[in-house]
């Protein structure tokens, strides 16, 4: 127990007064003699016993009355926390969680409405001379300054739900940074539902001069069903060809759901519908099959119905159905008849054949797939262009010459960090294994028999992997050597063949496996834009569009909405990188354009961190703070009480002065009653 005014405890010395009165009773008694005193002696003894008891009770009543009154004036209290809150001369920073998870329902409406009320209660508990700083998940510029109590209340009332998401450590760090220049008493309040997905206590750094108070708000129920992500089964989109879109849907509640409808719309037209059952706390993948009849940019969205958290019930994506895939073959002495026969008459492929000596390097920047055929020496200029092409996302296929310059080849492969050619093996062998799980062969075979006829090999270069490299083997020889290898490099891929396309080396160019191998490499080399981006992550948009001037400007416009921005962009020499820089705050489909030309579709979705409604309870927060030894951080479990009452208890704990005042009056009353008692 502690005291607000401990100096009043010196008043306990007044207890000596009733004690002295009791010990030095100056009252005198007169003796009266009687002839028969037997009965009087008994009466005298009984009266003395009662008198002594009465005097002792009166003494204790007086002592306790004086002590109770002294304690009442000293204002005793039992401290409930280790810190205090000064209610005048303060710098107060208040974070109000306005993320999507705060749309959950509580006993007082939504959690967000309750958070706003609590912030106003905090302001009301302080004096008008204090200054306040409001912080929300937006980290807006106007919220970086300190305001008077009146202006703070206005800012709190202006808060709206936001799509931004912030980690707890990031919030506390920002508040500490804003308070670092303040010299007066400093306090931080964080009003939130404290989702587990964003509460990174391990990363929190506290300021010993600043007290941090966590005010957890709890929803009535934590049920939410949401679309987490999606992906296409095949990355190639062709008109009037069926494609399958896989959708991952999660249920993080405690109730099983059945027959949740899932709808897919493309360019405003519903294309597919399905239903899904999801048990509590699990996830499910459903597939939506559809086809597209028109080429160009496709703006799509997936929808489900869930309440009350609705921001994650719609998922946007954008993709393009291209006219033709640009493929270029760079030949040595002459063109290859097998490559020409495969691509020249195909309506989906825009095929160009060039000689290495007369090569137009500008074609590399507009191509998706480059095939090196029968080149003996790779010049330094060509090597630089190929490296740039692969790093920007292109696919490079290498069919070596029968007499390669290993030095030039090694220089290119080293820069790309992919395997290289070693010595030539002249022993006869054959292809023994096909990697049917690789994207190139995934949908080629319905089944593979044990005695399948595979290409024969008469000579081949040994392909040597680099240390630590990760290679995908498409075709493997009987002797264990790799026949056809795929390696990731930059944003693109490099495919190496161990043989030239010559009958003297192998039967591969005449074999049936040659067509799907090279054709699928070309198909899957057509790198479209990302299906979707996440709001708040500031991801650059890669644009391979070389017909623009260096001073070209881009614009991003909302699909069928009145919204547009001019983003920052950089020309890297191979591609443009476009940075919206958090100017896009609403999920949806957008179109990236330059001038009047629409380049590509882009889709933005809200961060799914807010979709996981698992939150920490006040007791869990206290346990974590204790385990992590986070000093200066305390949990205020406000429950149904006003903030002012909680802050008062923090300051003075459980106040006992009223109790001692009542006890003092009761002891005085008991003294009066004892004195009147006969």
């Amino acid at each position: 127990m502690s005291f607000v005014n401990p100096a009043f405890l010196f008043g306990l010395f007044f207890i000596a007064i009733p004690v002295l009165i009791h010990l030095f009773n100056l009252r005198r008694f007169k003796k009266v003699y009687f002839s028969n005193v037997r009965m009087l002696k008994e009466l005298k003894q009984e009266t003395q016993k009662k008198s002594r008891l009465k005097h002792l009770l009166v003494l204790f009543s007086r002592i306790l009355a004086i002590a109770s009154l002294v304690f009442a004036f000293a204002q005793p209290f039992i401290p409930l926390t280790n810190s205090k809150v000064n209610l005048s001369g303060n710098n107060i920073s208040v974070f109000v969680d306005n993320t999507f998870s705060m749309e959950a329902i509580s006993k007082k409406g939504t959690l967000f409405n309750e958070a706003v009320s609590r912030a106003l209660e905090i302001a009301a508990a302080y004096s008008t001379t204090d200054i306040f700083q409001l912080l929300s998940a937006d980290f807006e510029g106007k919220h970086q300054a300190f305001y008077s109590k009146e202006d703070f209340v206005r800012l709190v009332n202006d808060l709206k739900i936001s799509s931004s998401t912030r980690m707890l450590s990031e919030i506390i760090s920002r508040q500490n940074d804003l308070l670092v220049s303040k010299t007066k008493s400093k306090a931080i309040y964080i009003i939130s539902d404290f989702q587990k997905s964003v509460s990174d206590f391990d990363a929190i750094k506290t300021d010993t001069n600043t007290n941090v108070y966590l005010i957890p708000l709890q929803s009535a129920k934590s049920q939410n069903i949401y679309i987490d992500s999606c992906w296409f089964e095949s990355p190639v989109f062709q008109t009037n060809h069926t494609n399958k879109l896989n959708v991952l849907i999660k249920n993080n509640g405690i109730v099983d759901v059945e027959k949740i409808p899932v709808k897919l719309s493309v360019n405003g037209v519903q294309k597919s519908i399905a239903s899904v059952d999801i048990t509590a706390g699990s996830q499910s993948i459903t597939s939506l099959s559809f086809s597209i009849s028109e080429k160009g940019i496709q703006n799509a969205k997936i929808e489900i119905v869930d309440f009350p958290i609705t921001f994650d019930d719609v998922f946007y994506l954008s993709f393009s159905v291209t006219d033709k895939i640009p493929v270029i073959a760079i030949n040595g002495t002459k063109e290859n008849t097998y490559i020409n026969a495969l691509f020249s008459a195909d309506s989906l492929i825009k095929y160009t054949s060039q000689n290495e000596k007369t090569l137009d390097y500008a074609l590399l920047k507009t191509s998706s797939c480059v095939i090196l055929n029968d080149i003996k020496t790779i010049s330094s200029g060509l090597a630089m262009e190929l490296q740039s092409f692969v790093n920007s996302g292109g696919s490079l296929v290498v069919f070596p010459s029968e007499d390669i310059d290993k030095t030039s080849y090694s220089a290119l492969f080293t820069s790309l960090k992919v395997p290289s050619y070693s010595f030539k093996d002249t022993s006869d062998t054959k292809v023994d294994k096909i990697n049917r799980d690789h994207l190139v062969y995934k949908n080629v075979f319905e089944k593979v028999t044990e005695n399948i006829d595979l290409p024969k090999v008469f000579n081949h270069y040994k392909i040597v992997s680099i240390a630590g490299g990760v290679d995908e083997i498409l075709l493997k020889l009987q002797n264990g050597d790799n026949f056809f290898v795929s390696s990731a490099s930059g944003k693109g891929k490099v495919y190496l063949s161990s043989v030239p396309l010559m009958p003297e080396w192998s039967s591969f160019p005449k074999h049936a496996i040659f067509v799907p191998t090279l054709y699928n490499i070309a198909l899957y080399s057509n790198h479209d834009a990302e299906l979707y981006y996440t709001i708040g992550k500031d991801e650059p948009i890669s644009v391979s569009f070389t017909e623009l001037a260096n001073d070209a400007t881009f614009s991003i416009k909302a699909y069928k909405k009145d919204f547009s921005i001019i983003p920052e962009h950089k020309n890297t020499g191979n591609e443009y990188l476009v940075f919206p820089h958090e100017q896009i705050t609403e999920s949806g489909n957008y179109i990236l354009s330059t001038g009047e030309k629409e380049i590509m579709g882009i889709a933005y979705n809200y961060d799914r961190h807010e979709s996981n409604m698992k939150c920490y309870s006040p007791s869990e927060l206290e346990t974590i703070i204790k385990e992590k030894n986070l000093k200066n951080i305390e949990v205020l479990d406000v429950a149904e009480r006003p903030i002012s009452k909680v802050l008062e208890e923090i300051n003075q704990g459980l106040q006992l002065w009223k109790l001692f005042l009542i006890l003092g009056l009761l002891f005085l009353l008991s003294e009066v009653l004892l004195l009147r008692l006969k």
Side-chain angles (χ1 to χ4, degrees):
M1 185 170 66
S2 301
F3 299 89
V4 176
N5 302 311
F8 277 96
L9 294 177
F10 287 106
L12 292 175
F13 288 116
F14 287 106
I15 293 175
I17 295 175
V19 173
L20 291 173
I21 292 174
H22 179 76
L23 293 176
F24 302 100
N25 191 340
L26 301 178
R27 293 175 60 186
R28 295 179 179 179
F29 298 93
K30 182 188 275 188
K31 293 183 179 180
V32 179
Y33 296 94
F34 290 88
S35 58
N36 189 351
V37 296
R38 184 177 64 83
M39 295 298 295
L40 291 176
K41 284 182 178 180
E42 292 178 359
L43 179 63
K44 180 181 179 181
Q45 291 173 357
E46 183 180 355
T47 304
Q48 283 181 343
K49 289 180 181 178
K50 289 183 178 180
S51 179
R52 286 176 183 175
L53 177 62
K54 178 179 177 181
H55 287 169
L56 287 174
L57 291 175
V58 170
L59 175 63
F60 289 144
S61 296
R62 289 171 177 172
I63 290 173
L64 292 174
I66 293 173
S68 297
L69 291 175
V70 170
F71 278 124
F73 281 101
Q75 296 188 32
F77 66 93
I78 299 176
L80 299 180
T81 62
N82 297 323
S83 60
K84 288 188 176 183
V85 177
N86 296 319
L87 297 181
S88 62
N90 292 282
N91 300 283
I92 304 105
S93 175
V94 181
F95 173 79
V96 177
D97 191 346
N98 62 335
T99 58
F100 282 124
S101 66
M102 298 295 285
E103 291 182 322
I105 303 298
S106 70
K107 295 179 180 179
K108 299 181 180 180
T110 64
L111 290 180
F112 174 67
N113 291 336
E114 186 177 352
V116 169
S117 299
R118 293 300 188 182
L120 296 177
E121 288 179 15
I122 291 173
Y126 286 88
S127 71
T128 55
T129 59
D130 294 324
I131 57 174
F132 299 83
Q133 179 267 323
L134 174 66
L135 193 66
S136 68
D138 302 285
F139 281 12
E140 291 184 86
K142 65 180 179 181
H143 291 163
Q144 310 302 308
F146 283 81
Y147 296 89
S148 66
K149 184 175 181 178
E150 182 180 354
D151 290 335
F152 174 81
V153 170
R154 176 180 54 80
L155 288 173
V156 171
N157 287 322
D158 289 341
L159 282 176
K160 305 293 182 185
I161 288 290
S162 168
S163 61
S164 300
T165 299
R166 304 291 178 183
M167 303 301 289
L168 181 59
S169 61
E170 185 182 5
I171 295 166
I172 295 178
S173 177
R174 177 61 65 93
Q175 290 179 294
N176 281 326
D177 290 343
L178 293 168
L179 288 169
V180 70
S181 62
K182 304 299 180 182
T183 56
K184 293 184 179 180
S185 177
K186 297 178 284 188
I188 287 174
Y189 294 90
I190 300 177
I191 311 171
S192 173
D193 56 358
F194 293 97
Q195 287 178 279
K196 294 183 178 180
S197 59
V198 297
S199 299
D200 54 339
F201 286 95
D202 289 327
I204 292 177
K205 295 181 180 178
T206 58
D207 183 352
T208 55
N209 297 320
T210 306
N211 293 322
V212 179
Y213 302 102
L214 309 183
I215 303 177
L217 306 180
Q218 295 180 287
S219 61
K221 66 173 185 176
S222 58
Q223 181 79 14
N224 187 30
I225 302 163
Y226 62 97
I227 303 172
D228 179 79
S229 56
C230 68
W231 63 95
F232 282 105
E233 194 157 287
S234 172
V236 179
F237 304 103
Q238 300 180 52
T239 56
N240 300 316
H241 281 66
T242 300
N243 207 334
K244 187 179 289 185
L245 178 66
N246 296 314
V247 183
L248 176 61
I249 303 175
K250 293 185 177 181
N251 175 9
N252 72 347
I254 58 174
V255 179
D256 298 345
V257 294
E258 297 179 350
K259 306 301 180 185
I260 295 292
V262 185
K263 296 188 294 184
L264 170 67
S265 300
V266 180
N267 297 330
V269 179
Q270 183 172 309
K271 288 290 185 179
S272 183
I273 188 170
S275 62
V276 62
D277 301 335
I278 317 175
T279 57
S282 66
Q283 61 188 33
S284 179
I285 298 175
T286 186
S287 297
L288 299 166
S289 298
F290 69 103
S291 62
I292 300 295
S293 58
E294 297 180 356
K295 298 175 182 177
I297 298 172
Q298 311 296 322
N299 299 290
K301 68 176 179 178
I302 312 162
E303 297 176 89
I304 61 172
V305 178
D306 180 45
F307 185 80
I309 307 298
T310 60
F311 79 94
D312 48 16
D313 294 348
V314 180
F315 199 93
Y316 295 91
L317 61 149
S318 293
F319 59 96
S320 295
V321 178
T322 57
D323 186 11
K324 293 193 175 195
I325 300 171
V327 176
I328 179 174
I330 304 175
N331 304 296
T333 55
K334 60 181 180 180
E335 296 182 356
N336 186 275
T337 56
Y338 303 107
I339 299 176
N340 289 350
L342 177 61
F343 291 127
S344 59
D346 193 287
S347 60
L348 188 62
I349 303 295
K350 182 182 178 182
Y351 177 67
T352 305
S353 181
Q354 293 261 304
N355 186 276
E356 62 169 326
K357 295 180 180 179
T358 58
L359 174 63
D360 182 2
Y361 287 115
L363 292 174
L364 295 179
K365 297 182 179 181
T366 59
S367 298
S368 297
C369 180
V370 172
I371 303 171
L372 289 187
N373 172 58
D374 194 25
I375 296 179
K376 181 178 180 180
T377 302
I378 300 176
S379 65
S380 58
L382 177 58
M384 290 180 59
E385 293 293 333
L386 291 175
Q387 182 182 356
S388 177
F389 167 76
V390 173
N391 288 337
S392 62
S395 293
L396 174 64
V397 185
V398 180
F399 292 105
S401 168
E402 60 181 345
D403 185 21
I404 62 171
D405 176 22
K406 291 182 182 179
T407 302
S408 63
Y409 271 80
S410 295
L412 171 63
F413 295 153
T414 299
S415 65
L416 294 173
K417 298 180 181 179
V418 298
S420 60
Y421 294 127
S422 181
F423 62 89
K424 182 167 68 172
D425 190 336
T426 59
S427 60
D428 289 352
T429 183
K430 66 178 297 186
V431 174
D432 183 50
K433 294 180 181 178
I434 302 175
N435 184 0
R436 295 174 59 198
D437 294 328
H438 194 278
L439 186 63
V440 170
Y441 299 123
K442 194 169 185 179
N443 298 312
V444 172
F445 305 97
E446 291 184 3
K447 63 178 182 178
V448 177
T449 60
E450 293 183 3
N451 58 348
I452 184 174
D453 179 34
L454 292 173
K456 296 178 181 179
V457 179
F458 314 116
N459 302 288
H460 70 278
Y461 287 108
K462 190 175 180 65
I463 298 176
V464 181
S465 299
I466 63 172
V470 179
D471 307 327
E472 294 179 283
I473 312 303
L474 279 70
L475 299 171
K476 201 174 188 68
L477 298 174
Q478 280 182 336
N479 64 1
D481 290 348
N482 298 328
F483 181 75
F484 210 91
V485 178
S486 169
S487 297
S489 178
K491 294 182 179 180
K493 282 199 171 185
V494 177
Y495 297 86
L496 297 184
S497 169
S498 65
V499 297
L501 293 180
M502 299 177 181
E504 297 82 6
W505 282 68
S506 73
S507 63
F508 180 57
K510 294 183 178 180
H511 197 277
I513 197 68
F514 170 74
V515 173
T517 300
L518 203 56
Y519 191 77
N520 284 340
I521 289 174
L523 283 182
Y524 298 142
S525 68
N526 187 36
H527 290 278
D528 201 1
E530 295 288 336
L531 278 181
Y532 53 86
Y533 296 88
T534 301
I535 291 175
K537 290 191 175 180
D538 199 22
E539 301 163 290
I541 302 168
S542 176
V543 184
S544 297
F545 192 78
T546 59
E547 297 177 8
L548 298 175
N550 290 334
D551 58 349
T553 58
F554 292 91
S555 65
I556 297 177
K557 300 178 182 178
Y559 176 65
K560 292 187 176 180
K561 289 184 180 180
D562 186 18
F563 173 85
S564 65
I565 61 170
I566 298 177
E568 178 190 353
H569 71 275
K570 295 180 181 179
N571 187 346
T572 65
N574 305 304
E575 60 182 352
Y576 286 91
L577 295 179
V578 179
F579 300 88
H581 288 319
E582 297 186 2
Q583 295 182 78
I584 296 177
T585 58
E586 184 178 347
S587 65
N589 292 109
Y590 296 83
I591 305 295
L592 178 65
S593 306
T594 175
E596 298 297 321
K597 186 176 182 62
E598 295 183 349
I599 302 173
M600 61 191 297
I602 50 178
Y604 275 91
N605 292 293
Y606 296 124
D607 196 327
R608 263 39 183 179
H609 265 117
E610 293 295 316
S611 299
N612 191 339
M613 297 302 295
K614 293 180 180 179
C615 304
Y616 286 113
S617 66
S619 59
E620 289 175 326
L621 289 173
E622 290 174 351
T623 301
I624 293 173
I625 290 171
K626 186 177 181 180
E627 290 176 351
K628 305 293 183 184
N629 194 27
L630 295 173
K631 299 179 180 179
N632 295 81
I633 298 183
E634 295 182 17
V635 179
L636 303 185
D637 188 3
V638 294
E640 301 297 326
R641 299 181 297 167
I643 293 287
S644 57
K645 181 67 176 178
V646 177
L647 295 180
E648 185 179 340
E649 289 183 359
I650 291 176
N651 238 18
Q652 299 182 356
L654 183 60
Q655 299 184 45
L656 302 176
W657 68 270
K658 291 182 180 179
L659 174 63
F660 280 103
L661 182 61
I662 293 172
L663 289 174
L665 294 175
L666 288 175
F667 289 133
L668 290 174
L669 178 61
S670 65
E671 179 193 359
V672 173
L673 293 176
L674 287 170
L675 291 174
R676 289 178 176 271
L677 184 65
K678 293 183 179 181

